[in-house]
Amino acid sequence: MKVMALGPHPDDVEFLCAGTLAKYKARGHDIAITVMTRGDVGSPTLTRDQIAAVREKEARASAAILGAEFFWLGCDDEFLYDTPDLRRQVIDVLRQFAPDIVLCPDKDKDYHPDHCRTGQIVWDTHVMPPVRLILTASPACERIHDIWYYDTLAAIGFEPEIYVDITDTWETKVRMLNCHESQNTWMKHIYGVTLADNSEAQSRLRGLQAGCRYAECFRRAHEFPQRVARDGLLPWAPQR
Amino acid sequence: MKVMALGPHPDDVEFLCAGTLAKYKARGHDIAITVMTRGDVGSPTLTRDQIAAVREKEARASAAILGAEFFWLGCDDEFLYDTPDLRRQVIDVLRQFAPDIVLCPDKDKDYHPDHCRTGQIVWDTHVMPPVRLILTASPACERIHDIWYYDTLAAIGFEPEIYVDITDTWETKVRMLNCHESQNTWMKHIYGVTLADNSEAQSRLRGLQAGCRYAECFRRAHEFPQRVARDGLLPWAPQR
Amino acid sequence: MKVMALGPHPDDVEFLCAGTLAKYKARGHDIAITVMTRGDVGSPTLTRDQIAAVREKEARASAAILGAEFFWLGCDDEFLYDTPDLRRQVIDVLRQFAPDIVLCPDKDKDYHPDHCRTGQIVWDTHVMPPVRLILTASPACERIHDIWYYDTLAAIGFEPEIYVDITDTWETKVRMLNCHESQNTWMKHIYGVTLADNSEAQSRLRGLQAGCRYAECFRRAHEFPQRVARDGLLPWAPQR
Amino acid sequence: MKVMALGPHPDDVEFLCAGTLAKYKARGHDIAITVMTRGDVGSPTLTRDQIAAVREKEARASAAILGAEFFWLGCDDEFLYDTPDLRRQVIDVLRQFAPDIVLCPDKDKDYHPDHCRTGQIVWDTHVMPPVRLILTASPACERIHDIWYYDTLAAIGFEPEIYVDITDTWETKVRMLNCHESQNTWMKHIYGVTLADNSEAQSRLRGLQAGCRYAECFRRAHEFPQRVARDGLLPWAPQR
Amino acid sequence: MKVMALGPHPDDVEFLCAGTLAKYKARGHDIAITVMTRGDVGSPTLTRDQIAAVREKEARASAAILGAEFFWLGCDDEFLYDTPDLRRQVIDVLRQFAPDIVLCPDKDKDYHPDHCRTGQIVWDTHVMPPVRLILTASPACERIHDIWYYDTLAAIGFEPEIYVDITDTWETKVRMLNCHESQNTWMKHIYGVTLADNSEAQSRLRGLQAGCRYAECFRRAHEFPQRVARDGLLPWAPQR
Amino acid sequence: MKVMALGPHPDDVEFLCAGTLAKYKARGHDIAITVMTRGDVGSPTLTRDQIAAVREKEARASAAILGAEFFWLGCDDEFLYDTPDLRRQVIDVLRQFAPDIVLCPDKDKDYHPDHCRTGQIVWDTHVMPPVRLILTASPACERIHDIWYYDTLAAIGFEPEIYVDITDTWETKVRMLNCHESQNTWMKHIYGVTLADNSEAQSRLRGLQAGCRYAECFRRAHEFPQRVARDGLLPWAPQR
């Protein structure tokens, strides 16, 4: 199976679904990470181009931990818009990787504008990758992927439908978060905490909700037609 | 695995989840059907006791098609209330069968009073079967079941989260519906249709939504702690 | 009275409200159909211009069955955006036909991007046709129309407020759907069904909900000021 | 046509739907008012029985202005519960009057406990009046009524679906409100306003929303099967 | 000012709002804690009466840390119902303490049946304490309190409106939680964690959301009439 | 403290939050009003440029009553879009004035397209004014403001969270509304009412809900991180 996560900024995938990606990886599936914007307002000292270059390098290092394919769309941070060009870029990335599962921000529940637009674009282009009359650099693919929305930053306003226990991939998630040194330095300076500190607070709460130590959580995008579960039954878990 | 469906009236389980029960049965799981009320206002000619006796017989015949265990709680039709006694009866039935999965009406989305109360009681007693200090005729069991809410009659107001393709168990569902002759006769007389006619209209629409011929659909009850999917991943299905 | 339906693609009006349009027509009202996009990705073999030409012809034939005025806006399929130009085009069409009632997709409940944008544009331009300082090719009209949102494809996520019994215009609806041969051929090839097959599944379910054989359903757009019912009372129907 | 309004307390019908009742009356329809509780905590000086007697007299005087049939169920104010007995009382009143339309509080949107329970009981008993095996003092009737929920006190939390312009029956509504002298005296003493003062503030706002001077507003109860509009079309009003 | 928190079970107040109570206490306000049920199913070894006695002692010790008045209503754990008697008990407690602010579970967002009923009863009796014709052991009071709903267990389904930074009262909250030894022993045995461990996970997440270390959160009950903020302006906080 | 209100059209701030602005002013705080569009379709006789000039003059006169700073963005009425340029204009205005509190339309509850876009842009740019790498004419400011959404026109679809009693600033609000002579003349001609007449109907209803004569109401924008109340406690008000 192939799983792609799309992040609005260079560290969102790490913060919100890296534990789940690592779990898929550990079971032998292929992973890709797509970053929409170049994170180019995230520095107190550098220029936009300088910080963008730093953040791309950090994000590539993080993706390398999972052996993930990496796509960098390079949009302007905080100014992501749904345009025909960007839709075609997203369709093209989906055609190149041909994922079975796509993880992205929730178009309806997320509150950050770049997150909302990312989720909206993924949703709006959902059925387009196999449509041959929509032209992009890559040829149409066969597959239509399943979309799952990941949690919001600080869990604000999100209502989880499905939890993934990431206790056994928690260390990998932390290593990926720690690749983002430029952000850690800044946050440490202003707030006295790192990305991993905040991520731990959120993953612990999600774990408390799911009866495990660390968890990530997701909502199903209600596509048409709607998928049935893998084995055709209800996705039940044996009692803990 | 053991699956129990609770129906407010003698034909609700058949109409709303029999295809799914049959699917579980076909894979070797154990099934039980619990009927809350005795359906004793459902006749244009008989007395309450007479129609109740007829309907119990019909419901038992229907359950027998699945080889399902059968529990008949005998409450008054259209006058189901959440009382301590009824809660204890439901807990006792759950202790006797010890299901892994429970299917019942949606406490929040259903619109029929007996359906709402059934869903509410199942929800409210969720964690009680293993609690030894809550006394009923049967001893406390070990297991806490997973709750799934089934569709509403005529699909009014329900927002499905998970679909089950019941194309291959459709005929079994029809045979079970046809056991309810007393209701079919009445409906045929007044509306010119049978239970199976209406069920086909609803199952076809749910199938259209899920990309198959016939489907039933469900919502997850958001219990605490919340379960993770059987294999620990997202409950994805390969592309149709 | 004059009734206009706006469809994002050439067959949406047929699928979602043609029975209601036929009912208005049968009572002597004037009908118009406006198609937003030219449906130019809907073919496995033709070029975009070729399939667009085919679909316009099919849509005109379908509209002709109702004797409906026909407006073809020619936007790109799957890439509909809310732009000032498109708003002005929609306002101009509304000025030309001056409808009392407008039927369109639900801006809040629909899930297809072109449907959402169509509903949004109709909503956003609601009070503009009579505003003389908003310039389009046609002069400002007098009338402000009432907006009703029609159902979604496969009834996903829609919560009906009002039903229209279309049993007596069902055959007309099927004839209109059958005009869309290019789509029927394609669907037949991939899924083994026609537009009319799917439409029947949906119309039967809506009929089941409304106590009749076939129905279509609608939600009221909550405009300001809000209209009162035609006779000033509650829109009650005599008991069936 | 026959229209019944049910009020939790002796002045609720006047405050929330009397203008609409007067409009039906003026067109020759029959009206009934049912009061659930006896309003027996509504006095700073009298005993419970004394104030209950006063309020019944006031409510009867108010109903007489419309020539309305009057039903007084006599429950305890602020302690209304959904019991089998009260359900049977409500069914019996519905059988006696056999209304086509029933107006009552919104079971989902109202916030006062007695209002919520009234709406819930009306909803829960919706299909029961014609069911012969549900026994009450009166025989089963033929008719199933349509339910409309009226506004909440002070318009808090209510989302109107349909407005009725009551400008021409406003004076009647005020006369009915003024029958409730015991409450007016008390409110005047504590807050310096009368029922009619508060009702005017609310009716003016509802009028502003509907483009007229005074209005009342309603939501449709989503019963099954759901009714179609009186003339089978959408309940449109000519442009104001 | 006087602040009362009502908890369905003996440790709920500690888990969900003790930090806020401690903050009020520290500023010189009076605190009361009311426990609805006697927590009499919460033991793997004791009888119902034995565990109830233990838990009352633990809860009193916890309340003593705040110097809080303590009310013990003694209802059956897991079987809390809205009855006239229990409403009167709650009204009486409110009359005895005459709080300005009441904290309780959210009647709409909480998911535990005893929590929902507690919130519902507090809501339903909101205006009753000053009503002289509603008789309880204590005389009617003057005051109508403000109601705030506290968080749910594990933060499931709750949408916070207002946060309170409890970093400086966190230690007090932990001491109060630790009074509940019977529950800690049990949880430690089954899950390997204490109440304070789980509470820390939840308080950290709420702190992350509010930009501080530990927080508790609340929703406003939308009573009528609705209060304005203390100083008549918007309840703004200076920038952190 | 500094308070800025943003209005989509020249009279929206007056209609929806001027009483609150006047209250802040009376307590010595600084006020600013920003108008997004130039109101250039609002005349039955003038050209777009002429009516825009008139309305700017009216809006400036109204702002002068409060001694408010005034920003006029000059966008096209009824055609407001979220563009990078407009976002930068809004950020620049926020940097110039550096407000603590911002009042604007509700991005989720408002129904007028220009109102929705205004609320959306304010929301989307929330954290940007202090971000130095986002360049506008003015330098980055230090402060991040708190956002409050004001009521909708005619109170349609808005669910208030906080009320402000504006009885004592009502006269100021009316004087400000009366500055908009061009609109009053037009409305008087068509509907026979003035802005102040409609505003009185709305402010009276909001007052009824809040237990005072005239009120305005607001919802909190759920920013991240979320603020705590000014004094760190719940924003309670002493009993009226």
Side-chain angles (χ1 to χ4, degrees):
Chain A
M1 225 160 34
K2 305 174 86 170
V3 183
M4 174 184 282
L6 292 99
H9 310 103
D11 50 9
D12 288 320
V13 163
E14 285 79 348
F15 200 90
L16 297 166
C17 65
T20 300
L21 292 181
K23 201 149 183 170
Y24 275 100
K25 184 66 185 179
R27 300 203 189 178
H29 302 298
D30 295 329
I31 310 297
I33 294 175
T34 297
V35 181
M36 304 292 287
T37 73
R38 56 187 198 138
D40 54 336
V41 306
S43 166
T45 52
L46 304 180
T47 66
R48 293 182 74 127
D49 285 348
Q50 285 170 335
I51 183 63
V54 167
R55 299 196 71 180
E56 183 178 352
K57 206 171 138 193
E58 293 169 347
R60 285 187 183 279
S62 167
I65 289 175
L66 287 187
E69 272 195 59
F70 187 79
F71 299 91
W72 180 260
L73 299 194
C75 298
D76 282 353
D77 193 352
E78 307 298 305
F79 284 86
L80 198 66
Y81 283 88
D82 170 16
T83 65
D85 271 0
L86 186 51
R87 282 199 192 175
R88 281 197 201 90
Q89 278 186 275
V90 169
I91 294 167
D92 195 70
V93 161
L94 292 166
R95 285 172 169 178
Q96 288 180 53
F97 186 70
D100 299 279
I101 296 176
V102 164
L103 310 178
C104 67
D106 190 322
K107 74 180 173 70
D108 297 314
K109 301 288 175 186
D110 212 294
Y111 54 89
H112 187 293
D114 293 346
H115 285 235
C116 297
R117 295 317 171 277
T118 300
Q120 185 72 48
I121 291 168
V122 171
W123 170 262
D124 283 356
T125 59
H126 177 232
V127 300
M128 299 185 190
V131 177
R132 77 175 179 95
L133 286 173
I134 296 174
L135 297 181
T136 70
S138 308
C141 61
E142 293 288 309
R143 214 180 309 249
I144 294 184
H145 50 278
D146 218 34
I147 302 173
W148 293 85
Y149 296 138
Y150 52 64
D151 206 351
T152 56
L153 294 170
I156 290 178
F158 194 78
E159 304 164 10
E161 284 179 6
I162 296 280
Y163 289 79
V164 173
D165 178 348
I166 60 159
T167 307
D168 55 354
T169 57
W170 170 249
E171 288 307 324
T172 304
K173 183 180 170 93
V174 170
R175 282 172 55 216
M176 291 173 70
L177 284 163
N178 287 344
C179 291
H180 296 273
E181 281 181 48
S182 67
Q183 304 308 295
N184 271 336
T185 308
W186 197 16
M187 285 181 60
K188 196 87 192 175
H189 181 70
I190 305 182
Y191 303 112
V193 293
T194 62
L195 281 169
D197 293 333
N198 283 351
S199 186
E200 177 160 29
Q202 184 159 346
S203 303
R204 278 287 294 121
L205 188 278
R206 293 312 191 190
L208 174 61
Q209 294 178 338
C212 59
R213 178 119 195 112
Y214 295 112
E216 287 169 350
C217 58
F218 300 87
R219 293 171 58 81
R220 185 85 177 270
H222 287 241
E223 315 115 340
F224 170 63
Q226 304 200 2
R227 302 292 172 85
V228 297
R230 200 167 10 239
D231 60 4
L233 300 178
L234 297 167
W236 176 85
Q239 189 189 9
R240 280 174 306 270
Chain B
M1 224 159 35
K2 304 174 88 170
V3 183
M4 175 183 283
L6 291 99
H9 310 102
D11 50 9
D12 287 320
V13 163
E14 285 79 348
F15 200 91
L16 296 166
C17 67
T20 299
L21 292 180
K23 201 148 183 171
Y24 275 99
K25 184 68 186 179
R27 302 204 188 177
H29 302 298
D30 294 329
I31 310 297
I33 294 175
T34 297
V35 180
M36 304 292 285
T37 72
R38 55 186 198 138
D40 54 337
V41 306
S43 166
T45 52
L46 305 180
T47 66
R48 292 182 76 127
D49 286 347
Q50 286 171 333
I51 183 63
V54 167
R55 298 197 70 179
E56 183 178 351
K57 206 172 137 192
E58 292 170 347
R60 286 187 182 277
S62 167
I65 289 175
L66 287 187
E69 272 195 58
F70 186 79
F71 299 91
W72 179 260
L73 300 193
C75 299
D76 282 353
D77 193 351
E78 307 299 303
F79 283 87
L80 198 66
Y81 283 88
D82 170 15
T83 65
D85 272 359
L86 185 52
R87 282 199 192 175
R88 280 197 202 89
Q89 278 187 275
V90 169
I91 295 167
D92 194 70
V93 161
L94 292 166
R95 285 171 168 179
Q96 287 180 54
F97 187 70
D100 298 279
I101 295 176
V102 164
L103 309 179
C104 67
D106 190 322
K107 75 181 172 70
D108 298 313
K109 300 289 175 185
D110 212 294
Y111 54 89
H112 187 293
D114 293 345
H115 286 235
C116 297
R117 292 321 168 274
T118 300
Q120 185 71 48
I121 291 169
V122 171
W123 171 262
D124 282 355
T125 59
H126 178 232
V127 299
M128 300 186 190
V131 177
R132 79 175 178 95
L133 286 174
I134 296 174
L135 297 181
T136 69
S138 307
C141 61
E142 293 287 309
R143 215 179 308 250
I144 293 184
H145 50 278
D146 218 34
I147 301 173
W148 294 84
Y149 296 138
Y150 51 64
D151 206 351
T152 56
L153 294 170
I156 290 178
F158 194 77
E159 304 165 10
E161 284 179 7
I162 296 280
Y163 290 79
V164 173
D165 178 348
I166 60 159
T167 308
D168 55 354
T169 56
W170 171 248
E171 288 307 324
T172 304
K173 183 180 170 94
V174 170
R175 281 172 54 216
M176 291 173 71
L177 283 164
N178 286 344
C179 290
H180 296 273
E181 281 181 48
S182 68
Q183 305 307 296
N184 271 337
T185 307
W186 197 15
M187 285 181 60
K188 196 87 192 173
H189 180 69
I190 305 181
Y191 302 112
V193 293
T194 63
L195 282 169
D197 293 333
N198 283 351
S199 185
E200 177 159 30
Q202 184 159 345
S203 303
R204 278 286 295 121
L205 190 276
R206 292 312 191 192
L208 175 61
Q209 293 178 337
C212 59
R213 178 119 194 112
Y214 295 111
E216 287 170 351
C217 58
F218 300 88
R219 293 171 59 80
R220 185 86 176 271
H222 287 240
E223 315 115 339
F224 170 63
Q226 303 200 4
R227 302 291 172 86
V228 297
R230 199 165 12 237
D231 61 4
L233 301 178
L234 298 167
W236 175 85
Q239 189 189 8
R240 279 175 307 270
Chain C
M1 224 158 36
K2 304 174 88 169
V3 183
M4 175 183 283
L6 291 99
H9 309 103
D11 50 9
D12 288 321
V13 162
E14 285 78 349
F15 200 91
L16 297 166
C17 66
T20 300
L21 293 180
K23 200 148 183 170
Y24 275 100
K25 185 66 185 182
R27 302 203 188 178
H29 303 298
D30 295 330
I31 311 297
I33 294 175
T34 298
V35 180
M36 304 292 286
T37 73
R38 54 186 197 137
D40 54 337
V41 305
S43 166
T45 52
L46 304 180
T47 66
R48 293 181 75 126
D49 285 348
Q50 285 171 334
I51 184 63
V54 167
R55 299 195 71 179
E56 182 177 352
K57 206 172 139 194
E58 292 170 348
R60 285 187 184 278
S62 167
I65 289 175
L66 287 188
E69 272 195 58
F70 186 80
F71 300 91
W72 179 259
L73 299 192
C75 299
D76 282 352
D77 192 351
E78 307 299 304
F79 284 86
L80 198 66
Y81 283 88
D82 170 15
T83 66
D85 271 0
L86 185 53
R87 281 200 192 174
R88 281 196 201 90
Q89 277 186 277
V90 169
I91 294 167
D92 194 70
V93 160
L94 292 166
R95 284 171 169 177
Q96 288 180 53
F97 187 70
D100 299 279
I101 295 175
V102 164
L103 310 180
C104 67
D106 190 321
K107 75 180 172 71
D108 298 314
K109 301 287 176 188
D110 212 294
Y111 55 90
H112 186 292
D114 293 346
H115 285 235
C116 296
R117 296 316 171 277
T118 301
Q120 186 72 48
I121 292 168
V122 171
W123 170 262
D124 282 354
T125 59
H126 178 232
V127 299
M128 299 184 189
V131 177
R132 77 174 180 95
L133 286 173
I134 296 174
L135 297 181
T136 69
S138 307
C141 62
E142 293 287 309
R143 215 180 306 249
I144 294 185
H145 50 277
D146 218 33
I147 301 175
W148 293 84
Y149 295 138
Y150 51 66
D151 206 350
T152 56
L153 294 170
I156 290 179
F158 195 78
E159 303 164 10
E161 284 180 6
I162 296 279
Y163 291 80
V164 173
D165 178 348
I166 60 159
T167 307
D168 56 354
T169 57
W170 171 249
E171 288 308 323
T172 304
K173 182 180 172 94
V174 171
R175 281 172 55 215
M176 291 174 70
L177 283 163
N178 287 343
C179 290
H180 296 274
E181 283 181 46
S182 67
Q183 304 307 296
N184 271 337
T185 307
W186 196 17
M187 285 181 60
K188 195 87 192 174
H189 180 70
I190 304 183
Y191 302 112
V193 294
T194 63
L195 282 169
D197 293 333
N198 283 352
S199 185
E200 177 159 29
Q202 184 159 347
S203 303
R204 278 287 294 121
L205 189 278
R206 293 313 190 190
L208 175 61
Q209 294 178 336
C212 58
R213 178 118 195 113
Y214 295 112
E216 287 170 351
C217 59
F218 301 87
R219 293 172 58 81
R220 185 85 177 271
H222 287 240
E223 314 117 338
F224 170 62
Q226 303 199 4
R227 301 293 172 83
V228 297
R230 200 164 15 234
D231 61 4
L233 300 178
L234 297 167
W236 175 86
Q239 190 190 6
R240 281 175 304 270
Chain D
M1 226 160 34
K2 305 174 87 171
V3 184
M4 174 184 283
L6 291 98
H9 309 103
D11 50 8
D12 287 320
V13 162
E14 285 78 349
F15 200 90
L16 296 166
C17 65
T20 300
L21 292 180
K23 202 148 181 170
Y24 275 99
K25 184 67 186 179
R27 302 204 187 176
H29 302 297
D30 294 329
I31 310 297
I33 294 175
T34 297
V35 181
M36 304 292 286
T37 73
R38 56 187 196 138
D40 54 337
V41 305
S43 166
T45 51
L46 304 180
T47 66
R48 292 182 76 127
D49 285 347
Q50 285 172 334
I51 184 62
V54 167
R55 298 195 72 179
E56 182 178 352
K57 206 171 139 192
E58 292 169 349
R60 286 187 182 278
S62 167
I65 289 175
L66 287 187
E69 271 195 59
F70 186 79
F71 299 91
W72 180 259
L73 299 193
C75 299
D76 282 353
D77 193 351
E78 307 298 305
F79 284 87
L80 197 66
Y81 284 87
D82 170 16
T83 65
D85 272 0
L86 186 52
R87 282 200 192 174
R88 280 197 201 89
Q89 278 187 277
V90 169
I91 294 167
D92 195 70
V93 161
L94 292 166
R95 285 172 168 177
Q96 288 181 54
F97 187 69
D100 299 278
I101 295 176
V102 163
L103 310 178
C104 67
D106 190 323
K107 75 180 171 73
D108 298 313
K109 301 289 176 185
D110 212 294
Y111 55 88
H112 187 293
D114 292 345
H115 286 235
C116 296
R117 294 319 170 275
T118 300
Q120 185 72 48
I121 291 168
V122 170
W123 171 262
D124 283 354
T125 58
H126 178 232
V127 299
M128 299 186 191
V131 177
R132 78 176 179 93
L133 286 174
I134 297 174
L135 297 181
T136 69
S138 308
C141 62
E142 293 288 310
R143 212 179 311 248
I144 293 184
H145 50 277
D146 218 34
I147 302 174
W148 293 85
Y149 295 137
Y150 50 65
D151 207 350
T152 57
L153 294 170
I156 289 178
F158 194 79
E159 303 164 11
E161 284 180 7
I162 295 281
Y163 290 80
V164 173
D165 178 348
I166 61 159
T167 308
D168 56 353
T169 57
W170 171 249
E171 287 308 323
T172 304
K173 182 180 171 95
V174 171
R175 281 173 54 217
M176 291 173 71
L177 283 163
N178 287 344
C179 290
H180 296 273
E181 282 181 47
S182 68
Q183 303 307 296
N184 272 336
T185 308
W186 198 15
M187 286 182 59
K188 196 86 193 175
H189 181 70
I190 304 182
Y191 303 112
V193 294
T194 62
L195 281 169
D197 293 333
N198 283 352
S199 185
E200 177 159 29
Q202 183 160 346
S203 304
R204 276 287 293 120
L205 189 278
R206 294 310 190 192
L208 175 61
Q209 294 178 337
C212 60
R213 180 121 193 109
Y214 296 113
E216 287 169 351
C217 59
F218 300 87
R219 294 171 59 80
R220 185 85 175 272
H222 287 240
E223 314 116 341
F224 170 63
Q226 302 200 4
R227 302 293 172 83
V228 298
R230 200 166 10 239
D231 60 4
L233 300 178
L234 297 167
W236 176 85
Q239 190 191 9
R240 280 175 305 268
Chain E
M1 225 158 36
K2 305 174 88 170
V3 183
M4 174 183 283
L6 292 98
H9 309 104
D11 50 9
D12 288 321
V13 163
E14 284 78 348
F15 200 90
L16 296 166
C17 65
T20 299
L21 293 180
K23 201 149 183 171
Y24 276 99
K25 184 67 185 181
R27 302 203 188 178
H29 302 298
D30 295 330
I31 310 297
I33 294 175
T34 298
V35 181
M36 304 292 286
T37 72
R38 55 186 197 140
D40 53 338
V41 305
S43 167
T45 51
L46 304 180
T47 66
R48 293 182 75 127
D49 285 348
Q50 285 171 334
I51 183 63
V54 168
R55 300 195 70 179
E56 182 176 353
K57 206 172 140 193
E58 293 170 346
R60 285 187 183 278
S62 167
I65 290 174
L66 288 187
E69 271 195 59
F70 186 79
F71 299 91
W72 180 259
L73 300 193
C75 299
D76 282 352
D77 192 351
E78 307 299 305
F79 284 86
L80 198 67
Y81 283 88
D82 170 16
T83 65
D85 271 1
L86 185 52
R87 283 199 192 175
R88 280 196 202 91
Q89 277 186 277
V90 169
I91 295 167
D92 195 70
V93 161
L94 293 166
R95 284 172 169 176
Q96 287 180 54
F97 187 69
D100 299 280
I101 295 175
V102 164
L103 310 179
C104 67
D106 190 321
K107 75 179 171 72
D108 297 314
K109 301 288 176 187
D110 211 294
Y111 55 89
H112 187 292
D114 292 346
H115 286 235
C116 297
R117 295 318 170 276
T118 300
Q120 185 71 47
I121 292 169
V122 171
W123 171 262
D124 283 355
T125 59
H126 178 232
V127 300
M128 299 185 191
V131 176
R132 78 176 179 94
L133 287 173
I134 296 174
L135 297 181
T136 70
S138 307
C141 63
E142 293 287 310
R143 213 179 310 247
I144 293 184
H145 50 277
D146 219 32
I147 301 174
W148 293 85
Y149 296 137
Y150 51 64
D151 206 349
T152 56
L153 295 170
I156 290 178
F158 195 78
E159 303 164 10
E161 284 180 7
I162 296 280
Y163 289 80
V164 173
D165 179 347
I166 60 159
T167 308
D168 55 353
T169 57
W170 171 249
E171 288 307 323
T172 305
K173 182 180 172 95
V174 170
R175 282 172 54 217
M176 291 173 70
L177 283 164
N178 287 344
C179 291
H180 296 274
E181 282 181 47
S182 67
Q183 304 307 296
N184 271 337
T185 308
W186 197 16
M187 285 181 61
K188 196 87 191 174
H189 181 70
I190 305 182
Y191 303 112
V193 293
T194 62
L195 281 169
D197 293 333
N198 283 351
S199 185
E200 177 159 28
Q202 184 160 346
S203 303
R204 278 287 294 121
L205 189 277
R206 294 311 191 192
L208 175 61
Q209 293 178 337
C212 59
R213 178 117 195 113
Y214 296 112
E216 286 169 352
C217 58
F218 301 87
R219 295 170 58 81
R220 184 85 175 273
H222 287 241
E223 314 116 340
F224 170 64
Q226 304 200 3
R227 302 292 173 84
V228 298
R230 199 164 15 236
D231 60 5
L233 301 178
L234 297 167
W236 176 85
Q239 190 192 8
R240 278 176 305 272
Chain F
M1 224 158 35
K2 304 174 87 168
V3 184
M4 174 184 284
L6 291 99
H9 309 104
D11 50 8
D12 287 320
V13 163
E14 285 79 348
F15 200 90
L16 297 166
C17 65
T20 300
L21 292 180
K23 201 148 182 172
Y24 275 99
K25 184 67 185 180
R27 302 203 188 177
H29 302 298
D30 295 329
I31 311 296
I33 294 175
T34 297
V35 181
M36 304 292 285
T37 73
R38 56 187 197 138
D40 54 336
V41 306
S43 166
T45 52
L46 304 180
T47 66
R48 292 181 77 127
D49 285 348
Q50 286 171 334
I51 184 63
V54 167
R55 298 195 72 179
E56 182 178 353
K57 206 170 139 193
E58 293 170 348
R60 286 187 182 278
S62 167
I65 289 174
L66 288 187
E69 271 195 60
F70 186 79
F71 300 91
W72 179 260
L73 299 193
C75 299
D76 282 353
D77 193 351
E78 308 298 305
F79 284 86
L80 198 66
Y81 284 88
D82 170 15
T83 65
D85 271 1
L86 185 52
R87 282 200 191 174
R88 281 197 201 90
Q89 277 187 276
V90 169
I91 295 167
D92 195 71
V93 161
L94 292 166
R95 286 171 168 178
Q96 287 181 53
F97 187 69
D100 299 279
I101 295 175
V102 164
L103 310 179
C104 67
D106 190 322
K107 75 179 172 72
D108 298 313
K109 300 289 177 188
D110 212 294
Y111 55 88
H112 186 293
D114 293 345
H115 286 234
C116 297
R117 294 320 170 273
T118 300
Q120 185 72 48
I121 291 168
V122 171
W123 171 262
D124 282 354
T125 59
H126 178 231
V127 299
M128 298 186 191
V131 177
R132 78 176 177 93
L133 286 174
I134 296 174
L135 298 181
T136 70
S138 307
C141 62
E142 293 287 310
R143 212 180 309 249
I144 294 184
H145 49 277
D146 217 32
I147 301 174
W148 293 85
Y149 296 137
Y150 50 64
D151 206 350
T152 56
L153 294 170
I156 290 178
F158 194 78
E159 303 164 10
E161 285 180 7
I162 295 281
Y163 290 80
V164 173
D165 178 349
I166 60 160
T167 307
D168 56 354
T169 57
W170 170 250
E171 287 308 322
T172 305
K173 183 179 170 95
V174 170
R175 282 172 55 216
M176 291 174 70
L177 283 163
N178 287 344
C179 291
H180 296 274
E181 283 182 46
S182 67
Q183 304 307 295
N184 270 337
T185 308
W186 197 16
M187 285 182 60
K188 195 89 194 172
H189 181 69
I190 304 182
Y191 303 111
V193 294
T194 63
L195 282 169
D197 293 333
N198 284 351
S199 185
E200 177 159 28
Q202 184 160 346
S203 303
R204 277 286 294 119
L205 189 277
R206 294 311 190 192
L208 175 60
Q209 293 178 337
C212 59
R213 178 119 195 111
Y214 295 111
E216 287 169 351
C217 58
F218 300 87
R219 293 171 58 80
R220 186 84 176 272
H222 287 240
E223 314 116 341
F224 171 63
Q226 303 201 3
R227 302 293 173 83
V228 298
R230 198 164 16 235
D231 60 5
L233 301 178
L234 297 167
W236 176 85
Q239 190 191 10
R240 280 172 305 269

